[in-house]
Amino acid sequence: MRVLILGGDGYLGWPTAMDFAAAGHECCVADNYLRRHIAEATDSEALMVAPSLTERAQIFRAASGYHIDVRIGDLSDPEVMFEIVRDFSPDTIIHYAEQPSAPYSMRGFREAQETFQNNLNVTFNCIWAVKDLVPDCQIVKLGTMGEYGTPNIDIEEGWIEIEHKGRKDTFLFPRAAGSLYHTTKVLDTDLLWFYVRTYGLRVTDLMQGPVYGISTEEADLDPRLCPHFHYDDIFGTLVNRFLVQAVAGVPLTVYGGGGQTRGYLNLRDTLQCVRLAAGNPAKRGELRIFNQLTEIFTVNEVAERVKTVGDKMGLDVAIKSIPNPRKEKEEHYYNPTHSGLRELGLIPHYMTDDVVAATLERIIANKDRIVTGRIMPRVRWN
Amino acid sequence: MRVLILGGDGYLGWPTAMDFAAAGHECCVADNYLRRHIAEATDSEALMVAPSLTERAQIFRAASGYHIDVRIGDLSDPEVMFEIVRDFSPDTIIHYAEQPSAPYSMRGFREAQETFQNNLNVTFNCIWAVKDLVPDCQIVKLGTMGEYGTPNIDIEEGWIEIEHKGRKDTFLFPRAAGSLYHTTKVLDTDLLWFYVRTYGLRVTDLMQGPVYGISTEEADLDPRLCPHFHYDDIFGTLVNRFLVQAVAGVPLTVYGGGGQTRGYLNLRDTLQCVRLAAGNPAKRGELRIFNQLTEIFTVNEVAERVKTVGDKMGLDVAIKSIPNPRKEKEEHYYNPTHSGLRELGLIPHYMTDDVVAATLERIIANKDRIVTGRIMPRVRWN
């Protein structure tokens, strides 16, 4: 396959690129370092320093022998998107190129506008580049389980048959997200679905839960290949943030009641899922949706899990509820279906004590790099 | 009320402004003439020449004594939006400021991008201007019945309770539109709903069917106050286009089978509906949705109606099916609820033979201005 990874510098984009390259695919990453710039501007830098994409590609080549093509450019500019797609001529595009922080998107007008315009314009340009230049190319788009919000009914995989007043039809599953960032992904899905059914594009939209972890086959080849590992309130996902707090001796900050329930997955499973989706493309005119998660936990369960393992390692972990900076239900029904990727062959890496301990060890080795001022929430929804 | 009308130069925006002003409200219109510029660029100008907004406001003042404040500016630029909202300090915003042509939005990348960015950015800026400057101000947003598409179930007014596997919840009614223009309104609704539930904005989203007509109380005061009356394939709505074709001796062009069914309304009823919605504001934190239509017809029924009246007037009207330039179902179930605005007091002006005849008379008086080259479809969906 000729795989173009949009957002190839990201927490998921970079290990995905190495994973595809190591599997023998022609691989190109495109990014404009938006996330790095936002991290600098908001004092939210990752735990380990990452070399530039060009340098990482060189390090990866030296360590593994595999080549990754690197393009630096702003994909929200249609000229940049069209030039890269024309030049690389992919048969598979993995689209990660979105501003991924919910708190950042809720910080104020400027940040909301930046998120809204970047995310929607990249998706729009991607659709048009495929439609006009490589119409048979599949798009694998990273959505989020957050698109669905927390409805009081079972969450199906993207679609639902509704019976209403004696008649039936099938529709996109209802969506109601909890931040502007998540809402941009709802709009992405609407936009993709319009162009899929109108022009016969082939799209897989992956509704992914919060990802945790730092280790992948390729990332472990050299510490400089490590994905951006964020523990701050802006980019840090829940599990990663708790793990760093455990090491730093900062009580695990549970937002509000801690009953918020989500479906999580290991970084290694993100790579598996994306590779499975790309290896089994959607048909022309199909918007295929998978719910991408392996285990369901409440925030309190995640905190307890980290505490149990951390305490065994002598970290003496405390847990502390703080006022919830977000607007979200803290007790709710949550039952998402997630069988599609299992049926394609996904073998989950669960959040075992060993997995938690191994990640804690990596963080302990970088303990002196932790800046505790980045941990507490700096953005409120209201 | 202090009523700010975004898109106040449009087919609906201008008569709405006169209607509110004549009812004694403080009224301000904002527009950047986008529709006029697109009409020029695509050879799709309206039947009658309209003076500038400033001139029309002067003519209206001379004819009626009522003042309309005019601001010319691009509302997709947040600085323009914020300045106007700060300066006028509305308690009601009527948001019409969108590129309204489905065919234009399907013409190519540039037109799609222009539609996408204009429509989404105006809505985004409007939301933020209200949230940050006048949080108690209501927004009355013009959506479209086209957001729903043609589902195989009854169309409710914006919301639907879904019972699924023994549990229940209420969601936005599913949406699947037939053009990029209509899809931008789906995205508008998603975006409005996010900000309404997060920040307690008060919004009424009016799902309007195709509008027809040229006559309103105020527009009839002076021919120069006439709304833009389009009969071209780009901006002309179905009924208006058929009426001009009848006068021009061009067979009424039914796209495909003509079984396409939609809910129509008279321009006078658009004004009534918007005034009823604004006079009975949504509550804080409420996204209230009404389906804005008064009668349901197939395309063939509209054609027959125009032919019947036209023939009586000696026009000798022919009807001719042409290959459908759009991608849409030509036979489908269609049963939209539309009781909300009736309950608020809407008294419909139906498409009677007299109404059709009166509009034909107005067109006959301008017959020499008809450019028949603007009538046939110049944009195909594929």
Side-chain angles (χ1 to χ4, degrees), chain A residues 106 117 121 152 156 164-165 167-169 171 174 176-177 179-180 190 194-195 197-199 327 333 381-382, chain B residues 106 117 121 152 156 164-165 167-169 171 174 176-177 179-180 190 194-195 197-199 327 333 381-382:
Chain A
M106 301 299 286
Q117 297 200 339
N121 289 341
N152 192 41
E156 303 301 327
H164 182 59
K165 299 183 179 170
R167 303 182 64 90
K168 279 183 193 176
D169 204 345
F171 301 95
S179 79
L180 178 65
D190 285 333
F194 170 68
Y195 279 110
R197 66 183 187 269
T198 304
Y199 295 116
K327 195 157 181 172
Y333 183 73
W381 264 224
N382 282 320
Chain B
M106 300 300 287
Q117 296 200 341
N121 289 341
N152 192 43
E156 303 300 329
H164 182 59
K165 299 181 178 171
R167 302 181 64 88
K168 280 183 193 176
D169 205 346
F171 302 95
S179 79
L180 179 64
D190 285 334
F194 170 67
Y195 280 110
R197 67 183 187 269
T198 304
Y199 296 115
K327 195 157 183 172
Y333 182 74
W381 265 225
N382 281 318

Short mmCIF file of all heavy atoms in Angstrom, two decimals, chain A residues 106 117 121 152 156 164-165 167-169 171 174 176-177 179-180 190 194-195 197-199 327 333 381-382, chain B residues 106 117 121 152 156 164-165 167-169 171 174 176-177 179-180 190 194-195 197-199 327 333 381-382:
data_model
loop_
_atom_site.label_atom_id
_atom_site.label_comp_id
_atom_site.label_asym_id
_atom_site.label_seq_id
_atom_site.Cartn_x
_atom_site.Cartn_y
_atom_site.Cartn_z
N MET A 106 -11.81 24.78 24.13
CA MET A 106 -12.78 25.46 24.99
C MET A 106 -12.17 26.66 25.71
O MET A 106 -12.78 27.23 26.61
CB MET A 106 -13.33 24.47 26.03
CG MET A 106 -14.02 23.25 25.45
SD MET A 106 -15.46 23.65 24.45
CE MET A 106 -16.64 24.11 25.73
N GLN A 117 -11.47 25.72 12.41
CA GLN A 117 -11.02 25.90 11.04
C GLN A 117 -10.01 24.85 10.64
O GLN A 117 -10.08 24.28 9.55
CB GLN A 117 -10.47 27.31 10.85
CG GLN A 117 -11.59 28.34 11.08
CD GLN A 117 -11.30 29.69 10.47
OE1 GLN A 117 -10.17 30.02 10.20
NE2 GLN A 117 -12.34 30.47 10.26
N ASN A 121 -11.34 22.23 7.86
CA ASN A 121 -10.71 22.48 6.56
C ASN A 121 -9.81 21.33 6.12
O ASN A 121 -9.76 21.01 4.94
CB ASN A 121 -9.94 23.80 6.58
CG ASN A 121 -10.89 25.00 6.61
OD1 ASN A 121 -12.07 24.88 6.27
ND2 ASN A 121 -10.40 26.14 7.05
N ASN A 152 -28.52 7.69 26.70
CA ASN A 152 -29.16 6.74 27.61
C ASN A 152 -29.55 5.44 26.92
O ASN A 152 -30.32 4.65 27.46
CB ASN A 152 -30.39 7.41 28.24
CG ASN A 152 -30.92 6.60 29.41
OD1 ASN A 152 -30.16 6.09 30.21
ND2 ASN A 152 -32.23 6.46 29.48
N GLU A 156 -24.38 2.02 19.20
CA GLU A 156 -24.06 1.07 18.13
C GLU A 156 -22.83 1.56 17.37
O GLU A 156 -22.32 2.65 17.62
CB GLU A 156 -25.26 0.92 17.19
CG GLU A 156 -26.54 0.49 17.89
CD GLU A 156 -26.39 -0.86 18.61
OE1 GLU A 156 -25.63 -1.72 18.13
OE2 GLU A 156 -27.03 -1.03 19.66
N HIS A 164 -40.14 4.06 13.73
CA HIS A 164 -40.87 5.24 14.21
C HIS A 164 -42.24 5.26 13.57
O HIS A 164 -42.35 5.28 12.35
CB HIS A 164 -40.06 6.49 13.84
CG HIS A 164 -40.66 7.78 14.32
ND1 HIS A 164 -40.90 8.04 15.65
CD2 HIS A 164 -41.04 8.90 13.64
CE1 HIS A 164 -41.42 9.25 15.76
NE2 HIS A 164 -41.53 9.79 14.57
N LYS A 165 -43.28 5.22 14.39
CA LYS A 165 -44.66 5.25 13.90
C LYS A 165 -44.89 4.22 12.79
O LYS A 165 -45.50 4.53 11.75
CB LYS A 165 -45.02 6.65 13.41
CG LYS A 165 -44.93 7.72 14.51
CD LYS A 165 -45.36 9.08 14.01
CE LYS A 165 -45.29 10.12 15.12
NZ LYS A 165 -45.47 11.49 14.63
N ARG A 167 -42.81 2.76 10.69
CA ARG A 167 -41.91 2.73 9.53
C ARG A 167 -40.46 2.68 10.01
O ARG A 167 -40.16 3.03 11.14
CB ARG A 167 -42.12 3.97 8.66
CG ARG A 167 -43.56 4.13 8.17
CD ARG A 167 -43.69 5.35 7.28
NE ARG A 167 -42.90 5.22 6.08
CZ ARG A 167 -43.36 4.68 4.94
NH1 ARG A 167 -44.59 4.23 4.86
NH2 ARG A 167 -42.58 4.59 3.90
N LYS A 168 -39.54 2.26 9.14
CA LYS A 168 -38.15 2.06 9.54
C LYS A 168 -37.19 2.71 8.56
O LYS A 168 -37.45 2.76 7.36
CB LYS A 168 -37.83 0.55 9.52
CG LYS A 168 -38.27 -0.23 10.70
CD LYS A 168 -37.79 -1.67 10.54
CE LYS A 168 -38.49 -2.56 11.56
NZ LYS A 168 -38.12 -3.97 11.36
N ASP A 169 -36.06 3.13 9.07
CA ASP A 169 -34.95 3.55 8.21
C ASP A 169 -33.68 3.48 9.05
O ASP A 169 -33.73 3.38 10.28
CB ASP A 169 -35.19 4.97 7.67
CG ASP A 169 -34.45 5.24 6.36
OD1 ASP A 169 -33.54 4.46 6.00
OD2 ASP A 169 -34.78 6.24 5.70
N PHE A 171 -29.98 5.26 10.03
CA PHE A 171 -29.38 6.60 10.09
C PHE A 171 -28.04 6.53 10.81
O PHE A 171 -27.75 5.57 11.53
CB PHE A 171 -30.30 7.54 10.89
CG PHE A 171 -31.68 7.69 10.33
CD1 PHE A 171 -32.73 6.90 10.81
CD2 PHE A 171 -31.94 8.59 9.32
CE1 PHE A 171 -34.01 7.04 10.30
CE2 PHE A 171 -33.23 8.73 8.80
CZ PHE A 171 -34.26 7.95 9.29
N PRO A 174 -27.10 8.93 16.61
CA PRO A 174 -27.11 10.32 17.08
C PRO A 174 -25.81 10.70 17.79
O PRO A 174 -25.20 9.87 18.46
CB PRO A 174 -28.28 10.33 18.08
CG PRO A 174 -29.11 9.16 17.75
CD PRO A 174 -28.20 8.13 17.16
N ALA A 176 -23.76 13.85 20.11
CA ALA A 176 -23.86 15.05 20.95
C ALA A 176 -22.63 15.10 21.83
O ALA A 176 -22.58 14.48 22.89
CB ALA A 176 -25.13 15.03 21.80
N ALA A 177 -21.62 15.81 21.37
CA ALA A 177 -20.30 15.75 21.98
C ALA A 177 -20.14 16.76 23.11
O ALA A 177 -20.90 17.71 23.23
CB ALA A 177 -19.23 15.98 20.91
N SER A 179 -17.30 18.72 23.86
CA SER A 179 -16.39 19.86 23.70
C SER A 179 -16.44 20.29 22.24
O SER A 179 -16.93 19.55 21.38
CB SER A 179 -14.95 19.48 24.06
OG SER A 179 -14.33 18.77 22.99
N LEU A 180 -15.88 21.47 21.95
CA LEU A 180 -15.85 21.88 20.55
C LEU A 180 -14.96 20.94 19.74
O LEU A 180 -15.29 20.59 18.60
CB LEU A 180 -15.37 23.32 20.38
CG LEU A 180 -15.30 23.71 18.89
CD1 LEU A 180 -16.68 23.71 18.25
CD2 LEU A 180 -14.59 25.01 18.69
N ASP A 190 -20.44 14.08 9.49
CA ASP A 190 -21.54 14.53 8.62
C ASP A 190 -21.03 14.85 7.22
O ASP A 190 -21.66 14.52 6.21
CB ASP A 190 -22.18 15.79 9.19
CG ASP A 190 -23.06 15.53 10.40
OD1 ASP A 190 -23.60 14.42 10.50
OD2 ASP A 190 -23.21 16.44 11.22
N PHE A 194 -21.83 12.92 3.63
CA PHE A 194 -22.39 13.56 2.44
C PHE A 194 -21.57 13.23 1.20
O PHE A 194 -22.11 12.82 0.16
CB PHE A 194 -22.49 15.08 2.61
CG PHE A 194 -22.82 15.76 1.32
CD1 PHE A 194 -24.08 15.58 0.74
CD2 PHE A 194 -21.87 16.50 0.62
CE1 PHE A 194 -24.39 16.14 -0.49
CE2 PHE A 194 -22.17 17.07 -0.61
CZ PHE A 194 -23.43 16.89 -1.17
N TYR A 195 -20.26 13.40 1.28
CA TYR A 195 -19.44 13.18 0.07
C TYR A 195 -19.31 11.69 -0.28
O TYR A 195 -19.19 11.34 -1.45
CB TYR A 195 -18.08 13.85 0.22
CG TYR A 195 -18.14 15.35 -0.07
CD1 TYR A 195 -18.00 16.30 0.93
CD2 TYR A 195 -18.36 15.80 -1.37
CE1 TYR A 195 -18.07 17.66 0.65
CE2 TYR A 195 -18.44 17.16 -1.65
CZ TYR A 195 -18.29 18.08 -0.65
OH TYR A 195 -18.36 19.42 -0.94
N ARG A 197 -21.73 9.42 0.06
CA ARG A 197 -22.94 8.94 -0.62
C ARG A 197 -23.14 9.66 -1.95
O ARG A 197 -23.81 9.15 -2.84
CB ARG A 197 -24.17 9.03 0.27
CG ARG A 197 -24.62 10.41 0.66
CD ARG A 197 -25.83 10.35 1.62
NE ARG A 197 -26.36 11.67 1.86
CZ ARG A 197 -25.98 12.47 2.85
NH1 ARG A 197 -25.10 12.06 3.74
NH2 ARG A 197 -26.49 13.68 2.99
N THR A 198 -22.54 10.84 -2.10
CA THR A 198 -22.73 11.59 -3.34
C THR A 198 -21.71 11.19 -4.41
O THR A 198 -22.05 11.10 -5.58
CB THR A 198 -22.64 13.10 -3.06
OG1 THR A 198 -23.61 13.42 -2.06
CG2 THR A 198 -22.94 13.91 -4.32
N TYR A 199 -20.47 10.94 -4.00
CA TYR A 199 -19.42 10.68 -4.99
C TYR A 199 -18.79 9.29 -4.87
O TYR A 199 -17.80 9.01 -5.55
CB TYR A 199 -18.34 11.74 -4.90
CG TYR A 199 -18.83 13.12 -5.27
CD1 TYR A 199 -18.85 14.14 -4.34
CD2 TYR A 199 -19.28 13.39 -6.56
CE1 TYR A 199 -19.30 15.41 -4.67
CE2 TYR A 199 -19.74 14.66 -6.89
CZ TYR A 199 -19.75 15.66 -5.94
OH TYR A 199 -20.20 16.91 -6.28
N LYS A 327 -18.08 20.37 31.48
CA LYS A 327 -19.52 20.20 31.60
C LYS A 327 -19.82 18.80 31.08
O LYS A 327 -19.78 18.58 29.86
CB LYS A 327 -20.22 21.27 30.77
CG LYS A 327 -21.67 21.43 31.08
CD LYS A 327 -22.16 22.81 30.67
CE LYS A 327 -23.61 23.00 31.00
NZ LYS A 327 -24.02 24.38 30.79
N TYR A 333 -25.42 6.15 31.96
CA TYR A 333 -25.42 4.86 31.29
C TYR A 333 -24.36 4.86 30.21
O TYR A 333 -24.13 5.90 29.57
CB TYR A 333 -26.81 4.63 30.67
CG TYR A 333 -26.97 3.29 29.99
CD1 TYR A 333 -27.09 2.13 30.73
CD2 TYR A 333 -27.01 3.20 28.60
CE1 TYR A 333 -27.24 0.90 30.11
CE2 TYR A 333 -27.16 1.97 27.97
CZ TYR A 333 -27.27 0.83 28.74
OH TYR A 333 -27.42 -0.39 28.11
N TRP A 381 -14.98 24.93 31.35
CA TRP A 381 -15.99 24.96 30.28
C TRP A 381 -16.89 26.19 30.40
O TRP A 381 -17.48 26.61 29.44
CB TRP A 381 -16.82 23.68 30.29
CG TRP A 381 -16.39 22.58 29.37
CD1 TRP A 381 -17.24 21.84 28.58
CD2 TRP A 381 -15.08 22.06 29.11
NE1 TRP A 381 -16.53 20.91 27.86
CE2 TRP A 381 -15.20 21.02 28.16
CE3 TRP A 381 -13.80 22.37 29.57
CZ2 TRP A 381 -14.10 20.30 27.67
CZ3 TRP A 381 -12.71 21.65 29.10
CH2 TRP A 381 -12.87 20.64 28.16
N ASN A 382 -17.02 26.72 31.64
CA ASN A 382 -17.90 27.90 31.81
C ASN A 382 -17.14 29.09 32.39
O ASN A 382 -16.22 28.92 33.13
CB ASN A 382 -19.08 27.56 32.72
CG ASN A 382 -20.12 26.78 31.95
OD1 ASN A 382 -20.40 27.08 30.80
ND2 ASN A 382 -20.67 25.75 32.58
N MET B 106 -22.27 22.80 -5.48
CA MET B 106 -21.88 21.53 -6.11
C MET B 106 -21.12 21.74 -7.41
O MET B 106 -20.88 20.79 -8.16
CB MET B 106 -23.14 20.69 -6.40
CG MET B 106 -23.97 20.34 -5.18
SD MET B 106 -23.09 19.39 -3.94
CE MET B 106 -23.01 17.79 -4.75
N GLN B 117 -16.98 27.59 3.86
CA GLN B 117 -16.33 28.52 4.78
C GLN B 117 -17.26 29.67 5.14
O GLN B 117 -17.35 30.06 6.31
CB GLN B 117 -15.02 29.01 4.18
CG GLN B 117 -14.06 27.83 4.02
CD GLN B 117 -12.62 28.24 3.89
OE1 GLN B 117 -12.31 29.37 3.57
NE2 GLN B 117 -11.73 27.30 4.13
N ASN B 121 -18.49 29.69 8.98
CA ASN B 121 -17.82 30.75 9.74
C ASN B 121 -18.79 31.82 10.21
O ASN B 121 -18.65 32.35 11.32
CB ASN B 121 -16.68 31.37 8.93
CG ASN B 121 -15.51 30.40 8.79
OD1 ASN B 121 -15.38 29.46 9.57
ND2 ASN B 121 -14.67 30.62 7.80
N ASN B 152 -37.33 7.51 5.32
CA ASN B 152 -38.49 6.63 5.17
C ASN B 152 -39.38 6.63 6.40
O ASN B 152 -40.25 5.76 6.54
CB ASN B 152 -37.99 5.21 4.85
CG ASN B 152 -39.11 4.30 4.40
OD1 ASN B 152 -39.96 4.71 3.61
ND2 ASN B 152 -39.13 3.08 4.92
N GLU B 156 -40.09 14.56 12.26
CA GLU B 156 -40.59 15.33 13.40
C GLU B 156 -39.96 16.73 13.38
O GLU B 156 -39.11 17.02 12.56
CB GLU B 156 -40.25 14.60 14.71
CG GLU B 156 -40.79 13.18 14.77
CD GLU B 156 -42.32 13.12 14.65
OE1 GLU B 156 -42.99 14.07 15.09
OE2 GLU B 156 -42.83 12.14 14.07
N HIS B 164 -34.60 2.05 22.05
CA HIS B 164 -33.62 1.13 21.46
C HIS B 164 -33.22 0.12 22.53
O HIS B 164 -32.72 0.49 23.59
CB HIS B 164 -32.41 1.94 20.99
CG HIS B 164 -31.36 1.12 20.31
ND1 HIS B 164 -31.59 0.36 19.18
CD2 HIS B 164 -30.04 0.97 20.59
CE1 HIS B 164 -30.46 -0.24 18.81
NE2 HIS B 164 -29.51 0.11 19.64
N LYS B 165 -33.48 -1.14 22.24
CA LYS B 165 -33.12 -2.22 23.16
C LYS B 165 -33.62 -1.95 24.59
O LYS B 165 -32.89 -2.10 25.57
CB LYS B 165 -31.61 -2.45 23.16
CG LYS B 165 -31.07 -2.87 21.79
CD LYS B 165 -29.56 -3.11 21.83
CE LYS B 165 -29.05 -3.57 20.47
NZ LYS B 165 -27.58 -3.62 20.42
N ARG B 167 -34.35 0.86 26.10
CA ARG B 167 -34.04 2.13 26.76
C ARG B 167 -34.42 3.28 25.83
O ARG B 167 -34.56 3.10 24.63
CB ARG B 167 -32.56 2.21 27.10
CG ARG B 167 -32.09 1.07 28.00
CD ARG B 167 -30.62 1.20 28.32
NE ARG B 167 -30.35 2.40 29.07
CZ ARG B 167 -30.39 2.49 30.41
NH1 ARG B 167 -30.68 1.44 31.14
NH2 ARG B 167 -30.13 3.64 31.01
N LYS B 168 -34.55 4.49 26.38
CA LYS B 168 -35.03 5.63 25.60
C LYS B 168 -34.16 6.85 25.80
O LYS B 168 -33.64 7.09 26.89
CB LYS B 168 -36.45 6.03 26.06
CG LYS B 168 -37.57 5.21 25.54
CD LYS B 168 -38.89 5.81 26.04
CE LYS B 168 -40.03 4.83 25.81
NZ LYS B 168 -41.29 5.34 26.37
N ASP B 169 -34.08 7.67 24.78
CA ASP B 169 -33.48 8.99 24.92
C ASP B 169 -33.98 9.85 23.75
O ASP B 169 -34.53 9.32 22.77
CB ASP B 169 -31.94 8.90 24.91
CG ASP B 169 -31.27 10.07 25.62
OD1 ASP B 169 -31.95 11.09 25.90
OD2 ASP B 169 -30.06 9.96 25.91
N PHE B 171 -33.09 12.75 20.82
CA PHE B 171 -31.95 13.21 20.03
C PHE B 171 -32.41 14.16 18.93
O PHE B 171 -33.59 14.20 18.59
CB PHE B 171 -31.28 12.00 19.34
CG PHE B 171 -30.81 10.94 20.28
CD1 PHE B 171 -31.60 9.83 20.58
CD2 PHE B 171 -29.56 11.04 20.88
CE1 PHE B 171 -31.16 8.84 21.44
CE2 PHE B 171 -29.11 10.06 21.74
CZ PHE B 171 -29.91 8.95 22.03
N PRO B 174 -32.50 12.64 12.77
CA PRO B 174 -31.39 12.35 11.85
C PRO B 174 -31.44 13.25 10.61
O PRO B 174 -32.51 13.62 10.14
CB PRO B 174 -31.64 10.89 11.45
CG PRO B 174 -32.52 10.33 12.50
CD PRO B 174 -33.33 11.46 13.04
N ALA B 176 -29.63 14.06 6.67
CA ALA B 176 -28.82 13.56 5.54
C ALA B 176 -29.24 14.35 4.31
O ALA B 176 -30.21 14.02 3.64
CB ALA B 176 -29.06 12.06 5.32
N ALA B 177 -28.52 15.41 4.04
CA ALA B 177 -28.93 16.39 3.03
C ALA B 177 -28.44 16.03 1.64
O ALA B 177 -27.54 15.22 1.47
CB ALA B 177 -28.42 17.77 3.44
N SER B 179 -27.20 18.24 -0.83
CA SER B 179 -26.18 19.07 -1.47
C SER B 179 -25.23 19.57 -0.40
O SER B 179 -25.53 19.48 0.80
CB SER B 179 -26.80 20.28 -2.18
OG SER B 179 -27.12 21.30 -1.24
N LEU B 180 -24.08 20.11 -0.83
CA LEU B 180 -23.18 20.66 0.18
C LEU B 180 -23.82 21.85 0.88
O LEU B 180 -23.68 22.01 2.09
CB LEU B 180 -21.84 21.09 -0.43
CG LEU B 180 -20.92 21.68 0.65
CD1 LEU B 180 -20.54 20.67 1.70
CD2 LEU B 180 -19.71 22.34 0.04
N ASP B 190 -25.70 21.20 14.23
CA ASP B 190 -24.84 20.50 15.20
C ASP B 190 -24.06 21.49 16.06
O ASP B 190 -23.92 21.32 17.28
CB ASP B 190 -23.81 19.63 14.46
CG ASP B 190 -24.41 18.37 13.86
OD1 ASP B 190 -25.44 17.89 14.38
OD2 ASP B 190 -23.84 17.86 12.88
N PHE B 194 -24.41 22.27 20.13
CA PHE B 194 -23.31 22.17 21.09
C PHE B 194 -23.22 23.43 21.95
O PHE B 194 -23.16 23.35 23.19
CB PHE B 194 -21.97 21.92 20.39
CG PHE B 194 -20.82 22.06 21.34
CD1 PHE B 194 -20.65 21.15 22.38
CD2 PHE B 194 -19.96 23.15 21.28
CE1 PHE B 194 -19.64 21.31 23.32
CE2 PHE B 194 -18.95 23.32 22.21
CZ PHE B 194 -18.78 22.40 23.23
N TYR B 195 -23.22 24.59 21.33
CA TYR B 195 -23.05 25.82 22.11
C TYR B 195 -24.30 26.17 22.92
O TYR B 195 -24.20 26.77 23.99
CB TYR B 195 -22.61 26.97 21.20
CG TYR B 195 -21.12 26.93 20.89
CD1 TYR B 195 -20.65 26.61 19.63
CD2 TYR B 195 -20.19 27.20 21.89
CE1 TYR B 195 -19.27 26.57 19.37
CE2 TYR B 195 -18.83 27.16 21.64
CZ TYR B 195 -18.37 26.84 20.38
OH TYR B 195 -17.02 26.79 20.14
N ARG B 197 -26.29 23.95 24.44
CA ARG B 197 -26.34 23.13 25.66
C ARG B 197 -25.15 23.41 26.57
O ARG B 197 -25.21 23.16 27.77
CB ARG B 197 -26.47 21.64 25.33
CG ARG B 197 -25.31 21.00 24.64
CD ARG B 197 -25.62 19.52 24.32
NE ARG B 197 -24.44 18.85 23.80
CZ ARG B 197 -24.12 18.76 22.51
NH1 ARG B 197 -24.92 19.26 21.60
NH2 ARG B 197 -23.02 18.16 22.12
N THR B 198 -24.06 23.95 26.01
CA THR B 198 -22.88 24.22 26.84
C THR B 198 -22.94 25.59 27.51
O THR B 198 -22.54 25.75 28.66
CB THR B 198 -21.61 24.09 25.99
OG1 THR B 198 -21.61 22.79 25.39
CG2 THR B 198 -20.36 24.24 26.84
N TYR B 199 -23.45 26.59 26.80
CA TYR B 199 -23.42 27.96 27.33
C TYR B 199 -24.80 28.59 27.52
O TYR B 199 -24.90 29.77 27.82
CB TYR B 199 -22.58 28.86 26.42
CG TYR B 199 -21.12 28.45 26.37
CD1 TYR B 199 -20.54 27.99 25.20
CD2 TYR B 199 -20.34 28.52 27.52
CE1 TYR B 199 -19.20 27.62 25.17
CE2 TYR B 199 -19.01 28.15 27.49
CZ TYR B 199 -18.44 27.70 26.31
OH TYR B 199 -17.12 27.33 26.28
N LYS B 327 -28.51 14.46 -7.57
CA LYS B 327 -28.57 13.10 -7.06
C LYS B 327 -29.63 13.12 -5.96
O LYS B 327 -29.38 13.64 -4.86
CB LYS B 327 -27.21 12.70 -6.51
CG LYS B 327 -27.05 11.24 -6.29
CD LYS B 327 -25.57 10.87 -6.30
CE LYS B 327 -25.41 9.37 -6.15
NZ LYS B 327 -24.00 8.98 -6.34
N TYR B 333 -41.06 8.41 0.34
CA TYR B 333 -42.00 8.75 1.41
C TYR B 333 -41.67 10.16 1.90
O TYR B 333 -40.51 10.56 1.95
CB TYR B 333 -41.84 7.73 2.53
CG TYR B 333 -42.80 7.93 3.69
CD1 TYR B 333 -44.14 7.60 3.56
CD2 TYR B 333 -42.35 8.44 4.90
CE1 TYR B 333 -45.02 7.78 4.62
CE2 TYR B 333 -43.22 8.61 5.97
CZ TYR B 333 -44.56 8.29 5.81
OH TYR B 333 -45.41 8.46 6.86
N TRP B 381 -24.59 17.08 -10.41
CA TRP B 381 -24.04 16.56 -9.14
C TRP B 381 -22.87 15.60 -9.41
O TRP B 381 -22.05 15.39 -8.54
CB TRP B 381 -25.13 15.87 -8.34
CG TRP B 381 -25.83 16.69 -7.30
CD1 TRP B 381 -26.12 16.27 -6.03
CD2 TRP B 381 -26.35 18.03 -7.36
NE1 TRP B 381 -26.77 17.26 -5.33
CE2 TRP B 381 -26.93 18.35 -6.12
CE3 TRP B 381 -26.38 19.01 -8.37
CZ2 TRP B 381 -27.51 19.59 -5.85
CZ3 TRP B 381 -26.97 20.24 -8.10
CH2 TRP B 381 -27.51 20.51 -6.85
N ASN B 382 -22.85 14.98 -10.57
CA ASN B 382 -21.75 14.04 -10.83
C ASN B 382 -20.95 14.43 -12.07
O ASN B 382 -21.49 14.97 -12.99
CB ASN B 382 -22.28 12.62 -11.01
CG ASN B 382 -22.58 12.01 -9.66
OD1 ASN B 382 -21.80 12.17 -8.72
ND2 ASN B 382 -23.71 11.34 -9.54
#
